């Protein structure tokens, strides 16, 4: 029976991942240890590292910047809009440089960032759009799409104080990118 409990836990985890992916409107979800782990693993898998810049809102939890620093990239703080405390698309445009690789809006307090404007900026500047959805479980943008399905990948936190909490710390990555999903599973389970 050695290893049987681990296999049962993996089967349960797979069911939770599939259900959460469907809930978010994404094809894949991968459970990880924390929201910070989710952000860091996304950046690693996307090849972000030293010399790269990642645009993040100035109004966020420190884990957003820590994930960027953990992969050796530079977090670039972008001012926020006073009406909703979300990253300001006009300020984003002014911060893009030739070293900028990722735009990482934070959907804060269950309120989605101005995603249509940010998607447009990301397209025009060939940036990867990575959602920090650690506080936006179930949040929807106009038109009905949920946070977690709006960029290349999204990070969620299930810390007990979050919108959707676990008994202890936990996190998840959602994506429609089948190639990345398998890499995150290997990295998270220390198979690389």
């Amino acid at each position: 029976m050695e290893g049987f409990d681990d296999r049962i836990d993996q089967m349960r985890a797979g069911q939770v991942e599939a259900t959460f992916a469907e809930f978010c409107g994404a094809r894949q979800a991968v459970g990880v240890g924390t929201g910070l782990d989710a952000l860091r693993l996304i950046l690693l898998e996307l090849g972000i590292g030293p010399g790269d810049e990642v645009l993040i809102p100035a109004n966020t939890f420190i884990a957003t910047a820590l994930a960027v620093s953990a992969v050796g990239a530079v977090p670039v703080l972008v001012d926020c809009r006073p009406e909703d405390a979300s990253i300001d698309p006009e300020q984003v445009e002014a911060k893009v440089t030739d070293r900028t690789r990722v735009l990482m809006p934070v959907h804060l307090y269950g309120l989605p960032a101005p995603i249509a404007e940010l998607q447009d900026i990301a397209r025009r500047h060939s940036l990867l759009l990575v959602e920090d959805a650690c506080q936006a479980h179930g949040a929807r943008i106009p038109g009905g799409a949920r946070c977690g399905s709006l960029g290349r990948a999204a990070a969620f936190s299930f810390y007990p104080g979050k919108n959707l909490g676990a008994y202890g710390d936990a996190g998840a990555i959602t994506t429609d990118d089948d190639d990345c999903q398998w890499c995150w599973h290997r990295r998270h389970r220390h198979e690389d």
Side-chain angles (χ1 to χ4, degrees):
M1 297 299 278
E2 174 125 354
F4 181 74
D5 288 339
D6 290 339
R7 184 149 167 76
I8 294 295
D9 287 343
Q10 286 175 0
M11 289 185 333
R12 287 183 190 145
Q15 291 169 342
V16 170
E17 290 167 343
T19 300
F20 190 68
E22 182 180 346
F23 173 74
C24 292
R27 283 199 314 262
Q28 309 282 342
V30 178
V32 296
T34 67
L36 172 59
D37 287 344
L39 290 166
R40 183 181 56 80
L41 288 167
I42 290 169
L43 294 172
L44 282 171
E45 184 56 34
L46 295 175
I48 306 305
D52 296 329
E53 293 178 348
V54 178
L55 303 179
I56 64 171
N59 183 32
T60 186
F61 184 64
I62 194 168
T64 310
L66 288 175
V68 175
S69 296
V71 299
V74 177
V76 176
L77 299 177
V78 179
D79 210 351
C80 295
R81 304 185 310 187
E83 64 269 20
D84 61 8
S86 189
I87 194 168
D88 186 337
E90 290 179 20
Q91 298 294 321
V92 167
E93 196 84 53
K95 295 279 187 163
V96 174
T97 72
D98 59 345
R99 293 179 22 202
T100 307
R101 299 260 329 271
V102 176
L103 172 54
M104 188 183 288
V106 176
H107 307 299
L108 202 54
Y109 312 122
L111 301 173
I115 202 70
E117 295 163 272
L118 298 173
Q119 287 170 328
D120 181 56
I121 292 168
R123 257 189 309 276
R124 283 189 285 110
H125 294 282
S126 299
L127 304 176
L128 298 166
L129 183 68
V130 174
E131 301 171 76
D132 180 335
C134 288
Q135 292 190 25
H137 311 76
R140 293 183 187 266
I141 62 169
R146 283 207 167 120
C147 293
S149 67
L150 308 170
R152 179 73 180 270
F156 287 89
S157 171
F158 299 107
Y159 185 77
K162 298 289 184 179
N163 306 33
L164 179 60
Y167 264 126
D169 215 343
I173 297 167
T174 57
T175 186
D176 286 340
D177 188 331
D178 294 327
D179 293 332
C180 285
Q181 190 258 358
W182 294 114
C183 294
W184 289 319
H185 269 291
R186 283 195 313 274
R187 286 183 196 264
H188 178 60
R189 292 188 174 91
H190 309 288
E191 294 173 16
D192 277 354

